[in-house]
Amino acid sequence: MSTLDNMLEEINKANSIVILTHENPDGDAVGTALALYNALKQYGKNPDIIIPEYPQIFAFLANAQEIKKESEVEKYDLAISVDCSDIKRLNGFAKYFEDAKSKIVIDHHSTNTMFGDINFVNPDAPACAQIMLVILEHFNIEVTQDIGTCILTGIITDTGGFKYQGVTPETFEFVAWLLNRGINVSKVYRKVLQIKTKPNFELTRNANNRLEFLEDGRVAYTYITKKDEEEVHAQNGDHEGIVEIGRDVENVEVSIFIRETDEGCKVSMRSNEYVNVSDVCLMFGGGGHQRAAGVLMQGSIEQVKEKLLYQVRGQLK
Ligand code: AMP
Ligand code: MN
Ligand code: MN
């Protein structure tokens, strides 16, 4: 029996199902989780979806209002984690996963630790949402406009609008298919990728002013502090996109963005051609993809910057 057949058998058997994703969820996390939630409901199941906090730009997705912050259920029959590489990144809600009788992991991070009983992980997929599409097709669950929009949200956000490496022919075939069904791709694109919140705009302005070019212009570096976020009343997700700015300047290979939080310094790294930023983040306990990775580190912004630069320097050509 294939992995997907095993997965469907677990779903069929389960009376209670919970869907989870990584902390600080992005469009792929929320989109894939809601696609699965809506699909399982259509299939006749009554799952829970638990995401304590998510960016409000995704609140228009079908049944986003049913997302729970927590649950009273002590032990689910089945827990399904999407777009999450590591049980640590399920953070405070990892307990729902750990306590579940059966555990499924669906993901596309090359650093996935295979923390489920059933793991369906494809690092070649540009977004976890694209894997979800394959799964739903295998399960013969109809991809309605609502589900299609959730999946499209994941693909658009994780590919930076179809422009990152990793975009496959299937990505465009799927978008063509959506267009044929009358889904307004351009409207979704604008909603999930282009429109900025006011705090995001202000934080970006700040980060731009501070941006430094190091190592002969091959590294771009910037940061924002807790105070910056308080001043603009930033909400979950309002720092998104800042790390991309430095990467898009000519000759830059690596962009480093540090965000000061109550838990420590959240690092985002991006590269263009050859530096494997996932390896750098992995060294400090994080992970991600070759060209986009992250890690949570302790210490001051300045200390974290120096530790990262030391590792990056060794990889620069
Ligand atoms: P971000 O910079 O937060 O957009 O993350 C870039 C990529 O790295 C995403 O695919 C994240 O899922 C992944 N990532 C970020 N932080 C971590 C972490 N602490 N551990 C593992 N993967 C991470
Ligand atoms: Mn994600
Ligand atoms: Mn993803």
Side-chain angles (χ1 to χ4, degrees):
M1 228 170 34
S2 76
T3 307
L4 290 184
D5 293 334
N6 286 334
M7 201 186 279
L8 189 58
E9 196 176 87
E10 289 302 322
I11 291 169
N12 285 333
K13 268 194 330 209
N15 287 317
S16 60
I17 302 177
V18 63
I19 299 166
L20 305 164
T21 188
H22 65 79
E23 59 171 337
N24 293 307
D26 46 32
D28 193 27
V30 181
T32 309
L34 276 172
L36 180 60
Y37 177 75
N38 288 312
L40 288 182
K41 283 187 91 157
Q42 207 169 293
Y43 187 67
K45 292 286 172 179
N46 189 19
D48 280 345
I49 174 169
I50 305 178
I51 310 178
E53 266 192 279
Y54 66 93
Q56 286 310 295
I57 53 166
F58 305 121
F60 77 99
L61 294 173
N63 289 324
Q65 72 283 359
E66 291 178 19
I67 292 177
K68 296 183 174 182
K69 283 187 183 300
E70 58 191 354
S71 152
E72 255 111 65
V73 178
E74 297 239 325
K75 203 176 172 72
Y76 283 94
D77 288 341
L78 175 63
I80 307 177
S81 161
V82 298
D83 194 40
C84 184
S85 56
D86 187 325
I87 192 148
K88 278 188 306 196
R89 290 203 80 213
L90 290 176
N91 205 356
F93 28 111
K95 63 172 189 288
Y96 302 115
F97 194 85
E98 277 164 347
D99 295 346
K101 288 184 205 151
S102 175
K103 306 168 173 71
I104 294 176
V105 166
I106 300 168
D107 188 34
H108 71 128
H109 292 88
S110 54
T111 53
N112 193 290
T113 59
M114 307 288 176
F115 56 102
D117 304 322
I118 297 177
N119 300 285
F120 194 70
V121 177
N122 178 7
D124 295 328
C128 193
Q130 200 172 306
I131 300 178
M132 189 52 66
L133 187 65
V134 172
I135 294 176
L136 297 186
E137 274 171 3
H138 188 92
F139 290 178
N140 265 324
I141 297 180
E142 190 200 347
V143 178
T144 58
Q145 295 219 350
D146 279 350
I147 296 174
T149 303
C150 293
I151 291 177
L152 181 66
T153 295
I155 294 178
I156 289 178
T157 52
D158 255 26
T159 60
F162 312 114
K163 71 175 183 283
Y164 296 159
Q165 284 170 15
V167 169
T168 64
E170 289 78 36
T171 314
F172 292 108
E173 279 162 19
F174 170 61
V175 178
W177 184 85
L178 283 181
L179 282 169
N180 272 324
R181 270 155 195 77
I183 292 187
N184 194 332
V185 173
S186 135
K187 193 167 150 196
V188 178
Y189 191 110
R190 195 169 145 69
K191 271 192 175 188
V192 303
L193 204 63
Q194 268 180 299
I195 301 237
K196 308 279 178 243
T197 63
K198 202 69 198 316
N200 176 279
F201 180 81
E202 296 298 344
L203 289 179
T204 306
R205 190 192 331 243
N206 240 333
N208 262 332
N209 281 337
R210 286 184 190 139
L211 199 129
E212 287 177 63
F213 295 103
L214 309 163
E215 306 297 319
D216 292 329
R218 290 170 297 172
V219 177
Y221 162 75
T222 192
Y223 66 93
I224 53 174
T225 63
K226 269 194 279 194
K227 189 160 157 278
D228 295 332
E229 295 208 32
E230 279 158 19
E231 274 170 11
V232 301
H233 307 289
Q235 310 230 322
N236 194 291
D238 277 336
H239 60 280
E240 291 288 342
I242 293 179
V243 67
E244 318 289 343
I245 300 166
R247 176 170 70 175
D248 291 341
V249 179
E250 62 178 343
N251 298 327
V252 169
E253 171 58 20
V254 178
S255 173
I256 303 175
F257 166 55
I258 301 178
R259 181 174 156 242
E260 190 187 37
T261 73
D262 289 333
E263 295 93 55
C265 285
K266 290 223 160 106
V267 175
S268 280
M269 292 183 75
R270 300 289 185 271
S271 65
N272 274 318
E273 279 173 20
Y274 60 90
V275 170
N276 187 335
V277 287
S278 160
D279 279 354
V280 176
C281 290
L282 205 55
M283 253 180 260
F284 299 106
H289 315 278
Q290 284 187 14
R291 304 284 171 257
V295 57
L296 175 69
M297 289 170 72
Q298 301 308 318
S300 69
I301 293 179
E302 204 50 36
Q303 286 166 337
V304 168
K305 172 191 174 190
E306 287 309 321
K307 279 190 200 163
L308 292 167
L309 275 176
Y310 185 78
Q311 295 303 334
V312 168
R313 235 174 253 136
Q315 283 207 43
L316 287 173
K317 283 185 190 156

